[in-house]
């Protein structure tokens, strides 16, 4: 478990009868979920055909003309990458590793850690690395997706070239500006637009397969062997570009809680997978029929009346893909806050019916700034492609390792089966990762810089929170001792209830000690309140609150929230009425301790890390707002702590 403290962090704790001849009924709910999954889950991987095949051919040919064997080899690699990584790994296995219906790197980490009595730190490290790498994906996806789509205007006429970057920035600015309104109002069009996108790229591919039907031979994996054996050095670099075809696969798992496994699987097998294959095969046939000239096959094979509509549709699809990954970053950040990987951040709910529809102003602003910097700095999607693969491959490798733990400890699979399956996935993940890591100087440094920055922030927050907890605990009085003394010798009592928030339910809250010191009084009823984050997405109401009576003056209340839930203390305490506590918000005062932190040479961290932790702590949103406590019922008592 993870326990929230009153400073802004959380700390580790432990109908009628059937008619025989009736026509089969259509499951409209499932169709709606499947259509929604198209728009949210598959927006990222669905826009990969715009640039993936082109980048792979450029890498394999070293120029603008590719040999027939290279085209067949590259296409075969893409076909089997989509089959093994997405269809087998994610669809068949990873989607089954749900944590109470929720998915994503941190959900998988929480699931894996929960299988151990002592929750090993190395599993936490894997989750931390996976989350850090995801943020790299979250900023590169909008940049490369929108930029590559707008570059389609260059195929219409080269005179558009000077306007590609400015137009990309305008579109991205609009995307980030509308985040505050939430995706609920526009989500209804995401699915239909994305469905039209997949059907269009599938039809575009089918039309051009007849250009050179020999391209269908690429389904034979033998062409992969030929390609890898004939020029290993070139093939090694090409594999890094091949991976662009499967970027977005993590979204299948990350958005599991929004749609459920069945709609995601149905959308992939019925629409996404076939249309992607058809388009990639069509691009291959188009390039073969044009003498191997690479160019920009995705847009070039739509020249004529279909070109401008395809550019417009591609731009809309990339905007949707960007929206999906930005929303994913909000969800991941909320999980990280609840699991004490990041400080408290302001969370705004944009939907009255969907708890997952959230907006985080600070995260949105930072994502937007970094995306703008990437577009301005790299200028072309080809340059950004080198930066893309590292973060995604690294994230997928973390998923593979965590999945192995779930297979072994929770699913109770035989060790031999776990090792065999994990080895196959890990070899592929590592191969893709290594082939991308060599592109560090070509742009891969951007992914590493983003991931390193996030890992540094997460590790600093976790380390600083631990030192702060240990230091404040030394100066605190055991709660049992204090309550016994106050029961024997009662101070002046005043009417009402006082609730003292604390991260350590065994120690007397700092706010309580200071209240006694300065006011010399005690309320008739005093509650020591701890907020706990469970290692599951949501907690049922019957498990929300636990009451323990200490004596006539004090009782201890533990409130539990899932890591996907937004804490609401008044609502949680209202549940306590069923357990006998006559809770009335209008006669209750909430006492919080506001700590002023100062750097100390004896903290155990370098001075620069002390200062970083203090800056992070200052950036945390107010505890009153975060826990949704009425501001008129809050008393804050300040203390100064040197860490």
């Amino acid at each position: 478990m993870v326990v929230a403290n009153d400073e802004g962090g959380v700390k580790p704790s432990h109908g009628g009868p059937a008619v025989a001849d009736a026509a089969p009924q259509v499951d409209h709910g499932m169709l709606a979920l499947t259509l929604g999954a198209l728009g949210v889950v598959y927006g990222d991987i669905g826009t990969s055909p715009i640039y993936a095949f082109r980048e792979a051919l450029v890498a394999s040919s070293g120029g603008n003309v590719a040999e027939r064997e290279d085209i067949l080899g590259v296409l075969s690699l893409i076909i089997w990458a989509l089959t093994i990584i997405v269809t087998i790994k994610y669809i068949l296995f990873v989607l089954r590793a749900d944590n109470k219906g929720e998915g994503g790197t941190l959900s998988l980490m929480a699931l894996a850690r929960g299988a151990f009595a002592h929750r090993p730190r190395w599993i936490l490290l894997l989750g931390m690395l996976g989350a850090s790498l995801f943020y790299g994906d979250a900023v590169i996806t909008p940049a490369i997706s929108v930029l590559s789509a707008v570059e389609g205007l260059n195929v219409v006429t080269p005179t558009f070239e000077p306007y590609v970057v400015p137009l990309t920035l305008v579109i991205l600015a609009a995307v980030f500006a509308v985040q505050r309104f939430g995706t609920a109002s526009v989500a209804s069009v995401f699915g239909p637009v994305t469905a039209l996108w997949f059907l269009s790229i599938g039809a575009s591919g089918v039309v051009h397969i007849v250009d050179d039907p020999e391209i269908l031979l690429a389904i034979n994996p033998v062409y992969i062997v030929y390609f890898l054996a004939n020029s290993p050095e070139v093939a090694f670099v090409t594999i890094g570009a091949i991976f662009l075809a499967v970027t977005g696969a993590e979204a299948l798992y990350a958005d599991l809680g929004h749609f459920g496994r069945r709609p995601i699987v149905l959308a992939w097998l019925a629409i996404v997978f076939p249309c992607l294959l058809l388009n990639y095969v069509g691009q291959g046939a188009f390039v073969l029929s044009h003498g191997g000239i690479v160019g920009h096959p995705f847009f070039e094979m739509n020249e004529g009346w279909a070109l401008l509509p395809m550019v417009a549709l591609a731009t809309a699809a990339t905007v949707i893909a960007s929206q999906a990954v930005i929303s994913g970053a909000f969800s991941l950040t909320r999980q990280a806050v609840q699991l004490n990987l990041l400080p408290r951040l302001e969370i705004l709910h944009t939907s009255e019916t969907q708890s997952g529809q959230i907006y985080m102003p600070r995260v949105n602003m930072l994502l937007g700034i970094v995306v703008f910097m990437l577009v301005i700095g790299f200028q072309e999607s080809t340059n950004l492609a080198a930066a893309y693969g590292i973060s995604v491959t690294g994230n997928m490798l973390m998923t593979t390792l965590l999945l192995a733990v779930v297979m072994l400890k929770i699913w109770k699979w035989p060790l031999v089966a776990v090792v065999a399956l994990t080895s196959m996935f890990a070899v592929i993940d590592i191969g893709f990762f290594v082939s991308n890591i060599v592109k560090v100087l070509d742009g891969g440094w951007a992914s590493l810089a983003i991931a390193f920055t996030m890992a540094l922030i997460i590790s600093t927050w976790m380390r600083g929170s631990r030192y702060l907890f240990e230091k404040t605990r030394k100066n605190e009085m055991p709660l049992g001792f204090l309550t016994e003394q106050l029961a024997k010798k009662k101070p002046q009592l005043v009417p009402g209830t006082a609730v003292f928030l604390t991260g350590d339910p065994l120690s007397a809250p700092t706010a309580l000690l200071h209240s006694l010191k300065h006011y010399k009084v005690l309320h008739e009823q005093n509650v020591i309140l701890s907020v706990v984050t469970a290692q599951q997405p949501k907690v049922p109401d019957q498990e929300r609150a636990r009451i323990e009576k200490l004596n006539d003056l004090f009782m201890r209340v533990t409130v539990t929230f899932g890591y996907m839930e937004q804490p609401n203390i008044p609502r949680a305490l209202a549940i306590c009425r069923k357990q006998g506590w006559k809770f009335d918000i209008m006669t209750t005062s909430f006492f919080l301790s506001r700590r002023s932190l100062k750097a100390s040479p004896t903290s155990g961290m370098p001075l620069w890390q002390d200062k970083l932790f203090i800056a992070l702590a200052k950036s945390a949103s107010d505890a009153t707002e975060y826990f949704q406590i009425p501001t008129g019922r809050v008393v804050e008592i300040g203390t100064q702590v040197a860490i």
Side-chain angles (χ1 to χ4, degrees):
M1 286 187 176
V2 179
V3 180
N5 64 36
D6 56 340
E7 299 310 313
V10 281
K11 70 173 183 65
S13 86
H14 301 287
V19 180
D21 58 349
Q25 297 296 311
V26 177
D27 190 341
H28 296 287
M30 181 57 61
L31 289 177
L33 285 172
T34 302
L35 191 62
L38 280 176
V40 176
V41 177
Y42 294 108
D44 190 358
I45 198 171
T47 55
S48 295
I50 300 175
Y51 48 82
F53 188 68
R54 179 193 68 193
E55 295 300 327
L57 285 183
V58 170
S60 65
S61 64
N64 297 320
V65 180
E67 299 291 332
R68 177 173 290 263
E69 292 75 15
D70 291 343
I71 296 172
L72 290 171
V74 165
L75 181 59
S76 188
L77 276 167
I78 290 177
I79 291 172
W80 286 100
L82 287 169
T83 301
I84 296 175
I85 294 178
V86 184
T87 307
I88 297 178
K89 177 182 174 181
Y90 279 90
I91 294 294
L92 292 184
F93 294 103
V94 176
L95 286 184
R96 296 181 185 274
D98 67 293
N99 190 346
K100 305 290 185 180
E102 294 292 338
T105 303
L106 294 181
S107 281
L108 188 58
M109 178 205 74
L111 185 65
R113 288 192 85 198
F116 294 86
H118 302 292
R119 296 188 173 87
R121 293 187 63 83
W122 62 269
I123 294 182
L124 179 64
L125 178 62
L126 291 179
M128 183 187 77
L129 290 175
S132 299
L133 289 164
F134 176 85
Y135 284 105
D137 183 17
V139 293
I140 296 176
T141 292
I144 191 173
S145 297
V146 177
L147 187 56
S148 63
V150 177
E151 283 174 347
L153 293 173
N154 290 334
V155 179
V156 179
T157 171
T159 57
F160 277 117
E161 187 171 355
Y163 307 102
V164 169
V165 171
L167 183 56
T168 299
L169 294 176
V170 170
I171 294 173
L172 287 170
V175 169
F176 284 101
V178 300
Q179 293 303 311
R180 70 185 62 214
F181 303 109
T183 57
S185 58
V186 292
S188 59
V189 303
F190 280 11
V193 171
T194 310
L196 177 61
W197 165 255
F198 280 115
L199 293 176
S200 298
I201 65 174
S204 174
V206 169
V207 169
H208 289 280
I209 289 177
V210 297
D211 291 351
D212 196 328
E214 186 182 338
I215 195 67
L216 294 173
L217 296 174
I219 197 173
N220 190 341
V222 169
Y223 285 97
I224 297 177
V225 178
Y226 291 158
F227 180 70
L228 298 178
N230 289 340
S231 50
E233 298 83 3
V234 174
F236 179 75
V237 177
T238 305
I239 288 174
I242 293 292
F243 191 78
L244 294 172
V246 296
T247 55
E250 276 289 314
L252 277 71
Y253 187 44
D255 290 309
L256 180 61
H258 293 284
F259 301 97
R261 181 176 179 272
R262 190 179 172 195
I264 293 175
V265 173
L266 184 60
W268 173 257
L269 296 178
I271 300 177
V272 182
F273 192 32
C275 291
L276 287 176
L277 291 181
L278 289 172
N279 187 265
Y280 283 120
V281 173
Q283 287 190 52
F286 179 84
V287 175
L288 278 178
S289 65
H290 285 72
I293 298 175
V294 179
H296 206 315
F298 179 85
F299 289 112
E300 289 174 356
M301 67 183 190
N302 290 287
E303 285 187 340
W305 67 269
L307 182 55
L308 279 176
M310 184 59 79
V311 172
L313 190 56
T315 304
T318 55
V319 167
I320 292 173
S322 302
Q323 171 66 58
V325 78
I326 293 169
S327 298
F330 293 160
S331 297
L332 182 75
T333 303
R334 178 169 69 172
Q335 293 181 32
V337 169
Q338 290 287 73
L339 294 170
N340 196 33
L341 302 181
L342 289 173
R344 274 193 315 248
L345 295 171
E346 183 182 7
I347 301 175
L348 303 178
H349 291 264
T350 59
S351 171
E352 296 181 358
T353 57
Q354 297 292 327
S355 62
Q357 297 286 340
I358 60 174
Y359 169 62
M360 305 185 74
R362 195 170 301 170
V363 176
N364 188 65
M365 180 187 68
L366 292 175
L367 287 178
I369 291 173
V370 177
V371 169
F372 271 49
M373 291 172 62
L374 289 173
V375 172
I376 295 172
F378 285 87
Q379 294 287 311
E380 298 179 3
S381 61
T382 297
N383 299 331
L384 267 171
Y388 203 7
I390 295 177
S391 59
V392 184
T393 52
N395 194 6
M396 286 187 173
L397 180 58
M398 298 303 107
T399 297
T400 297
L401 297 176
L402 291 170
L403 179 64
V405 177
V406 172
M407 288 176 174
L408 190 63
K409 301 293 292 185
I410 298 179
W411 295 351
K412 306 297 182 182
W413 281 19
L415 180 61
V416 174
V418 173
V419 171
L421 197 62
T422 303
S423 297
M424 180 181 73
F425 295 150
V427 166
I428 295 174
D429 291 339
I430 292 172
F432 278 125
F433 182 77
V434 173
S435 63
N436 275 283
I437 204 71
V438 299
K439 301 177 182 179
V440 170
L441 297 179
D442 296 328
W445 58 267
S447 276
L448 293 178
I450 295 168
F452 176 79
T453 301
M454 287 308 305
L456 179 63
I457 290 173
I458 291 173
S459 61
T460 297
W461 182 253
M462 292 173 61
R463 191 179 180 189
S465 296
R466 187 174 69 251
Y467 282 133
L468 179 60
F469 172 72
E470 292 172 352
K471 185 152 192 174
T472 54
R473 188 167 190 174
K474 293 178 182 178
N475 300 324
E476 289 176 348
M477 182 184 300
L479 180 62
F481 175 78
L482 180 64
T483 56
E484 288 178 8
Q485 296 303 310
L486 291 175
K488 293 176 182 178
K489 188 177 180 180
K490 296 180 181 179
Q492 179 69 37
L493 298 181
V494 295
T497 301
V499 177
F500 298 91
L501 269 70
T502 179
D504 183 7
L506 300 179
S507 299
T510 304
L512 172 59
L513 295 175
H514 281 262
S515 176
L516 287 169
K517 177 181 178 181
H518 294 287
Y519 302 140
K520 315 295 185 185
V521 297
L522 194 66
H523 284 71
E524 292 177 338
Q525 191 174 39
N526 299 275
V527 178
I528 309 302
L529 178 65
S530 296
V531 180
V532 174
T533 299
Q535 297 288 330
Q536 63 187 62
K538 297 179 180 179
V539 174
D541 284 347
Q542 59 268 27
E543 300 175 14
R544 180 74 67 198
R546 187 174 73 252
I547 298 177
E548 177 187 357
K549 188 175 180 63
L550 301 178
N551 56 36
D552 293 337
L553 291 175
F554 288 89
M555 65 179 181
R556 185 158 41 207
V557 176
T558 302
V559 178
T560 306
F561 295 98
Y563 59 78
M564 288 294 290
E565 296 180 296
Q566 178 66 26
N568 187 315
I569 287 181
R571 188 179 299 169
L573 293 183
I575 298 174
C576 294
R577 294 192 183 102
K578 297 179 181 180
Q579 300 183 38
W581 177 21
K582 306 301 182 184
F583 173 74
D584 181 5
I585 189 70
M586 299 312 296
T587 61
T588 302
S589 298
F590 293 85
F591 287 80
L592 282 70
S593 174
R594 179 177 290 275
R595 292 170 180 158
S596 175
L597 305 179
K598 299 188 70 175
S600 169
T602 61
S603 71
M605 295 193 300
L607 185 60
W608 64 268
Q609 200 167 26
D610 275 350
K611 293 182 178 180
L612 176 58
F613 174 72
I614 292 172
L616 291 172
K618 289 181 179 179
S619 71
S621 63
D622 185 70
T624 302
E625 295 179 1
Y626 184 77
F627 292 117
Q628 303 186 56
I629 306 171
T631 54
R633 310 306 308 172
V634 174
V635 177
E636 291 189 348
I637 300 176
T639 59
Q640 190 175 87
V641 181
I643 61 170

